[in-house]
């Protein structure tokens, strides 16, 4: 893809969103670039995100005074080698999760996909000692694993916010490619109001 083609596609993809005053969050790394929308009536607490090595950490504005909030976030992790598989990556996540939550019940779901996404796996984590449920969607591209996470602190929050995660957050996800350089140059040159992240 040429620089011009990339910028044209970027403007086509993002311009309608800006005109609707949606809060678009750009997340990038060495080999990935994607966007997620801040759900309606939610905020991106970037300060909290930075304390845990993320650029985004969303919670419902109605929960701002709660000591523990249900939350959503997205991250991308570039593959260390082209042969790395999503199955192995997910297996490693499950092993780490089981160390923290030895009694966790884990259910896996598979989803259909189309290029540039080459694989999707969904995990539901239940029977957790400090939260009600966690839902994680793992997406694989040629060079990156993308993780979309929803953590519900209570059953009521799960019932209330799971549709937000499914419809608004996952539904608003857009993968824009494996080279963020043209976007970063375009952003610098145009002083856009897009929120950025690594």
């Amino acid at each position: 893809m040429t620089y011009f083609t990339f910028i044209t596609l970027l403007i086509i993809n993002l311009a309608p969103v800006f005109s609707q005053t949606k809060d678009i969050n750009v997340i990038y790394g060495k080999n990935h670039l994607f966007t997620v929308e801040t759900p309606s009536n939610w905020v991106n607490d970037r300060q909290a995100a930075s304390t845990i090595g993320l650029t985004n950490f969303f919670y419902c504005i109605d929960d701002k005074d709660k000591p523990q909030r249900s939350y959503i976030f997205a991250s991308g992790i570039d593959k260390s080698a082209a042969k790395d598989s999503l199955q192995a990556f997910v297996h490693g996540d499950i092993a780490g999760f089981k160390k923290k939550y030895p009694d966790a019940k884990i259910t896996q779901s598979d989803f259909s996909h189309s290029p540039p996404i080459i694989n999707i796996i969904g995990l539901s984590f239940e029977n957790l000692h400090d939260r009600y449920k966690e839902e994680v969607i793992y997406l694989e591209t040629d060079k990156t694993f993308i993780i979309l996470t929803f953590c519900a602190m209570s059953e009521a929050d799960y019932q209330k916010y799971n549709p937000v995660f499914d419809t608004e957050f996952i539904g608003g996800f857009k993968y824009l490619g494996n080279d963020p350089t043209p976007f970063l140059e375009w952003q610098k040159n145009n002083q856009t109001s897009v929120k950025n992240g690594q």
Side-chain angles (χ1 to χ4, degrees):
M1 178 182 296
T2 67
Y3 177 83
F4 176 77
T5 302
F6 179 88
I7 294 303
T8 302
L9 289 173
L10 186 69
I11 291 169
I12 290 169
N13 282 329
L14 294 182
V17 176
F18 293 140
S19 66
Q20 296 168 14
T21 65
K22 291 186 178 180
D23 186 6
I24 300 301
N25 306 273
V26 178
I27 301 166
Y28 59 86
K30 182 179 178 183
N31 293 316
H32 63 273
L33 174 69
F34 64 91
T35 63
V36 291
E37 296 178 14
T38 303
S40 304
N41 202 40
W42 285 55
V43 295
N44 184 359
D45 186 341
R46 290 179 179 84
Q47 183 176 356
S50 67
T51 65
I52 54 176
L54 298 171
T55 59
N56 61 91
F57 185 84
F58 304 94
Y59 64 85
C60 182
I61 193 68
D62 298 338
D63 297 341
K64 66 181 179 180
D65 296 324
K66 287 185 177 179
Q68 287 191 311
R69 306 177 189 114
S70 295
Y71 58 83
I72 294 171
F73 68 85
S75 62
I77 299 174
D78 291 327
K79 296 179 180 179
S80 56
K83 64 181 185 202
D84 292 349
S85 73
L86 184 60
Q87 290 80 4
F89 182 82
V90 168
H91 181 73
D93 258 15
I94 290 173
F97 208 90
K98 289 291 266 182
K99 284 183 182 178
K100 184 174 181 181
Y101 303 100
D103 298 322
K105 177 185 173 187
I106 303 170
T107 306
Q108 180 173 324
S109 303
D110 297 308
F111 300 93
S112 61
H113 54 276
S114 58
I117 305 302
I118 60 176
N119 201 358
I120 302 177
I121 294 174
L123 294 181
S124 293
F125 299 91
E126 299 179 79
N127 199 32
L128 312 174
H129 60 75
D130 61 352
R131 61 196 70 193
Y132 174 70
K133 192 171 185 178
E134 191 162 315
E135 302 276 357
V136 184
I137 303 296
Y138 299 87
L139 301 97
E140 180 182 9
T141 71
D142 287 339
K143 297 186 176 184
T144 303
F145 302 118
I146 296 168
I147 303 102
L148 308 175
T149 301
F150 165 49
C151 177
M153 292 299 175
S154 68
E155 184 175 3
D157 278 4
Y158 181 78
Q159 297 301 327
K160 184 177 180 181
Y161 299 138
N162 192 51
V164 173
F165 179 61
D166 288 346
T167 305
E168 291 191 57
F169 197 69
I170 295 173
F173 165 84
K174 289 186 176 56
Y175 183 72
L176 299 176
N178 61 14
D179 180 8
T181 307
F183 166 75
L184 297 176
E185 292 175 3
W186 173 80
Q187 182 186 43
K188 181 180 175 183
N189 292 336
N190 291 277
Q191 298 298 309
T192 179
S193 63
V194 175
K195 311 294 188 296
N196 69 28
Q198 286 181 312

